[in-house]
Amino acid sequence: MSHDHDHEHDHKHDENGDHDHDHPRDHGAHAVHILYIDPIAGASGDMFLGALVDLGVDFDELKSELAKLAVPGFDLVRSQAIRHAIAATKIDVVVEDEEHPHRHVGDLIKIIDASTLSDITKARSAAILTKLAEAEAHVHNMPLAQVHLHEVGGLDCLVDVVGTCIAIELLDVDAVLSGPVALGTGTVACAHGRMPVPAPGTLAILEGFPVRKTVLEGEMTTPTGAAIIATLATPVLGPLVMIPRATGYGAGSKDKPQIANMLRIVLAETEMRFLPDEAIDHDDHDHKHEHDHDHDHGHSHPHGHKHGHSHTH
């Protein structure tokens, strides 16, 4: 997927993987390249993977990058899905049916640190997993070091999170923005019994982030989906002026009658003056804009699709 960016990248990473931003926040009219997350039906880790592949991220390149984790026992499967007559990509993280180590979040971060992934993907992935684990520790009143994610030792969660960060880095955008996160109602079955919707962990993760509580029954946003948005995206509540360049739809596992169960992500261009003040700084990807962008977003959009879900969405 070629974006033909004429970017003069001036990345300066601090020890946490964050970037120093050399460009002043003027109100110039140069193009800024953004991802806009539209979680009107909620979000999950595999919905993110589906939407980003649907948007144009090369599926084979994504799998190749994920192999750098050097963890056996999983595969990504892509298929086509239709949700309320809209074509979407569904990505399933298929975990082999065998015993998996009982990994805590610290173990997952060690796997990421030991990999040959880029520094920015490592930093973003670790930040998402940490946010996820901190929320679970708070909700269950347990030490952070004892938090483990999902029944398969966190492998599906690890792949969802790291895969999403890889895909966003491949898109090479300046900022990630999100609309309010949709939440369902009712109860959901999980390892601890039946919990209210949204799950307590999800709500804890989204503290401080705009949400939209709906009357739709069932879980719409999973803890993993919430953590990705709350960590990587700047919320946008008002109108956003942008030029859409490509759109991706990631299907959820359930075909819900009330709503098209999918996450929409838009790759777009806008100008600095239209963005919230914190938008560029919030995303770790920094570009020194001393140029005109001449982007040719050659996104072929074949809908060969798929998506999977741990908290079945």
Side-chain angles (χ1 to χ4, degrees), residues 10-61:
D10 191 6
H11 292 280
K12 295 181 181 178
H13 297 258
D14 63 22
E15 60 187 6
N16 296 318
D18 294 327
H19 294 225
D20 294 318
H21 295 267
D22 291 337
H23 60 278
R25 184 176 169 80
D26 58 19
H27 293 278
H30 59 252
V32 177
H33 298 87
I34 64 170
L35 280 184
Y36 178 74
I37 302 165
D38 195 9
I40 54 172
S44 67
D46 45 2
M47 289 170 84
F48 263 102
L49 292 178
L52 291 164
V53 169
D54 201 55
L55 186 63
V57 170
D58 185 89
F59 183 61
D60 292 329
E61 188 173 6

